[in-house]
């Protein structure tokens, strides 16, 4: 059952002029360019073929006797001040609602499909949840790091299934 806030947002999926203006200010921010680039990780964002707001990706590195799993999440918090008009709106919405007749985004598309979207050729800042695994896939260490990863390839669920098959 949707909360009252979600019902309100669902009935008015558009953003105010004030929120949209704040987004335009953020487009010139350098906040997402503060962390080092790691161009050795080859990551995959797996989504529907028509997804434009790519906000997560995975990668796995194999070493002689262990693996490292990377779960990469767009660092939206580095760009959007929590107490700003946009931060307050995002808190109110909570998440993007995916509905049978469309979606109600948590963030304006100019951000979620633009500078906060991961993809090839981009070097967006991410939170890297790095999990070290033994050769038989038991976790033994976890770290969270900020980095920029330019080698993120978007693939569809169908393509991911083909690769795994």
């Amino acid at each position: 059952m949707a909360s009252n806030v979600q019902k309100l947002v669902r009935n008015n999926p558009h953003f105010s002029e004030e929120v949209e203006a704040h987004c335009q200010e953020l487009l010139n921010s350098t906040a997402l360019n503060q962390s080092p680039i790691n161009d050795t990780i080859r990551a995959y964002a797996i989504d529907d073929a028509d997804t434009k707001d790519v906000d997560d990706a995975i990668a796995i590195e194999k070493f002689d006797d262990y693996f490292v799993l990377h779960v990469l999440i767009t660092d939206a918090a580095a760009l959007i001040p929590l107490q700003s008009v946009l931060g307050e709106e995002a808190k109110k919405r909570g998440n993007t609602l995916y509905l049978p007749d469309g979606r109600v985004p948590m963030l304006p598309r100019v951000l979620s499909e633009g500078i906060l979207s991961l993809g090839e050729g981009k070097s967006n800042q991410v939170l890297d949840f790095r999990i070290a695994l033994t050769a038989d896939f038991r976790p033994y260490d976890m770290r969270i790091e900020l980095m920029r990863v330019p080698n993120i390839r978007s693939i569809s669920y169908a393509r991911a299934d083909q690769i795994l098959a």
Side-chain angles (χ1 to χ4, degrees):
M1 181 70 89
S3 72
N4 289 337
V5 171
Q6 286 178 326
K7 287 178 187 173
L8 179 67
V9 169
R10 183 181 291 177
N11 293 332
N12 185 15
H14 304 289
F15 293 92
S16 70
E17 288 182 21
E18 187 179 16
V19 167
E20 294 288 354
H22 188 223
C23 289
Q24 292 305 313
E25 293 172 22
L26 295 176
L27 291 177
N28 296 320
S29 173
T30 59
L32 297 177
N33 298 324
Q34 303 303 312
S35 59
I37 293 176
N38 184 331
D39 60 3
T40 63
I41 295 175
R42 303 287 184 252
Y44 295 89
I46 305 169
D47 282 296
D48 288 324
D50 60 346
T51 297
K52 292 181 178 45
D53 57 339
V54 179
D55 61 1
D56 56 19
I58 60 169
I60 192 156
E61 296 178 289
K62 184 179 184 332
F63 297 94
D64 289 336
D65 57 347
Y66 68 100
F67 296 90
V68 176
L69 173 66
H70 300 268
V71 179
L72 308 171
I73 309 292
T74 298
D75 187 15
L79 180 67
I80 303 167
L82 195 56
Q83 303 306 321
S84 69
V85 64
L86 178 56
E88 293 295 332
E89 182 69 18
K91 283 191 291 188
K92 184 175 17 172
R93 290 172 181 247
N95 61 354
T96 297
L97 295 175
Y98 293 91
L99 306 167
D101 57 344
R103 67 184 181 94
V104 179
M106 181 175 76
L107 298 171
R109 290 181 175 167
V110 69
L111 298 180
S112 67
E113 295 178 6
I115 63 173
L116 291 176
S117 187
L118 306 175
E120 294 179 59
K122 294 183 174 186
S123 188
N124 295 10
Q125 186 165 290
V126 296
L127 290 165
D128 177 13
F129 292 82
R130 180 183 302 215
I131 305 160
L133 306 164
T134 63
D136 59 348
F137 300 105
R138 286 181 288 138
Y140 67 89
D141 188 36
M142 183 180 153
R143 297 179 188 175
I144 303 171
E145 295 183 28
L146 282 173
M147 67 175 58
R148 290 183 288 152
V149 180
N151 300 314
I152 298 176
R153 184 172 169 212
S154 293
I155 62 173
S156 68
Y157 290 115
R159 180 66 183 131
D161 287 343
Q162 289 172 348
I163 292 168
L164 292 173

